[in-house]
Amino acid sequence: MGRFKVDDNNRLLLLKIRGCALLLTKLHHLLSAEVKRMGSLHFQFSWACFIAVLYWQNSLAESLRCVVHDESTLYSALDNISCAEISIVTMINVTENVLVTRPLTLFGDAIDAALVQINPNKNNLYIRDVIGGVHVFNLRISAIHAQAAVVVANASNVLIDSVEVEGSSSIFAVFIAGRDIPAGIPTLENYESRIEMDTNNTFCNSLVHSSWEGDSLSFSLQYRGHLRNNTVVDGGKIAFYMNAECTCVNNTVLDSISQGIFLSSPSADNVLVNNTILNAK
């Protein structure tokens, strides 16, 4: 199955378990020095405890990972709170939103690993209403004949890294959307306060295909987020809307049929550097 990977929310738990195992190892060394005085029975008991803890640690690591190979096992894993890590091992056609509402790691573990939305009325990967600890990587996410391929809304501390996104010709390919707040004055007040903004979301090292002339890769209403090392191809653009203290760095936009990168106002203390726009129309 390979080396177990774990997100930040479970890392502390595993560190405690490993620390317990390390403590028992040290205890074993101390007990073995006393084995002549205390007798072999005590020594055997301490060794059995040590083995039991190691077995428990390994079993817990295995239970935190769920391997999925079809739509049914995918939705079951998303609903199973004991699955902290979801490994996709093939291309999976989906007909509902791939809804993530809790901390987890979702990644491709095979060369053809992909989520392909075939329902024209649904988004594909939809991360919402989660404070943090979501990590998505090494995965193709396709919505060529559907709604948005990736949506992040009402969510913070989300990392999407090293994915390939295939968007449609009529809507966002990637929509890092911010909070669900009514347009107009409420949105402006929320932006000025910074209190209710989605925070520390990152989309990086990824390839986005989109022929939509609108906001193909939209990074909006974010606070201290990062958009870096991405490439947008096939006609799309990057939309960087109403962000504060965010970065847009080392991105490339090829053959955009509109602006390349669109920066909206208001905008405060953002860093946009080393981006490349080629052959924009």
Side-chain angles (χ1 to χ4, degrees), residues 238-254:
I238 293 174
F240 206 72
Y241 290 163
M242 292 184 69
N243 298 310
E245 298 182 35
C246 292
T247 63
C248 180
V249 177
N250 294 330
N251 300 289
T252 300
V253 180
L254 301 177

Side-chain angles (χ1 to χ4, degrees), residues 121-135:
N121 299 314
K122 297 293 184 178
N123 299 307
N124 195 332
L125 179 62
Y126 194 2
I127 303 169
R128 66 169 297 120
D129 302 330
V130 58
I131 295 175
V134 176
H135 184 194

Side-chain angles (χ1 to χ4, degrees), residues 57-272:
Q57 175 187 345
N58 184 67
S59 297
L60 178 62
E62 292 296 325
S63 71
L64 291 172
R65 169 185 277 192
C66 296
V67 177
V68 301
H69 49 79
D70 58 23
E71 186 176 21
S72 177
T73 55
L74 172 64
Y75 296 145
S76 295
L78 290 169
D79 290 338
N80 184 352
I81 60 173
S82 68
C83 290
E85 185 177 90
I86 298 177
S87 168
I88 297 175
V89 296
T90 188
M91 186 184 80
I92 300 175
N93 289 331
V94 296
T95 56
E96 298 293 334
N97 296 329
V98 180
L99 187 61
V100 176
T101 58
R102 62 181 179 85
L104 58 79
T105 296
L106 176 69
F107 69 101
D109 205 17
I111 193 169
D112 64 339
L115 297 174
V116 180
Q117 180 58 262
I118 60 175
N119 185 336
N121 299 314
K122 297 293 184 178
N123 299 307
N124 195 332
L125 179 62
Y126 194 2
I127 303 169
R128 66 169 297 120
D129 302 330
V130 58
I131 295 175
V134 176
H135 184 194
V136 180
F137 65 97
N138 291 348
L139 188 63
R140 180 167 66 90
I141 306 168
S142 180
I144 295 175
H145 303 295
Q147 299 300 303
V150 177
V151 178
V152 179
N154 287 334
S156 294
N157 303 301
V158 174
L159 171 60
I160 302 176
D161 183 7
S162 303
V163 299
E164 181 176 3
V165 177
E166 297 171 342
S168 76
S169 60
S170 59
I171 199 169
F172 312 97
V174 178
F175 188 22
I176 316 295
R179 298 293 176 92
D180 288 338
I181 296 174
I185 297 299
T187 296
L188 291 172
E189 290 177 345
N190 180 70
Y191 175 82
E192 293 298 331
S193 72
R194 309 284 197 270
I195 296 174
E196 295 296 328
M197 295 182 73
D198 287 355
T199 303
N200 195 36
N201 291 323
T202 300
F203 185 85
C204 61
N205 305 314
S206 297
L207 175 63
V208 177
H209 303 266
S210 175
S211 59
W212 188 42
E213 65 179 348
D215 305 335
S216 305
L217 171 49
S218 177
F219 198 77
S220 304
L221 292 166
Q222 301 293 306
Y223 181 54
R224 294 182 177 174
H226 306 283
L227 193 63
R228 60 174 185 261
N229 302 323
N230 302 293
T231 301
V232 178
V233 299
D234 300 332
K237 73 179 179 186
I238 293 174
F240 206 72
Y241 290 163
M242 292 184 69
N243 298 310
E245 298 182 35
C246 292
T247 63
C248 180
V249 177
N250 294 330
N251 300 289
T252 300
V253 180
L254 301 177
D255 302 317
S256 174
I257 57 177
S258 58
Q259 293 91 352
I261 297 177
F262 189 93
L263 175 65
S264 77
S265 177
S267 179
D269 303 313
N270 297 299
V271 177
L272 288 81

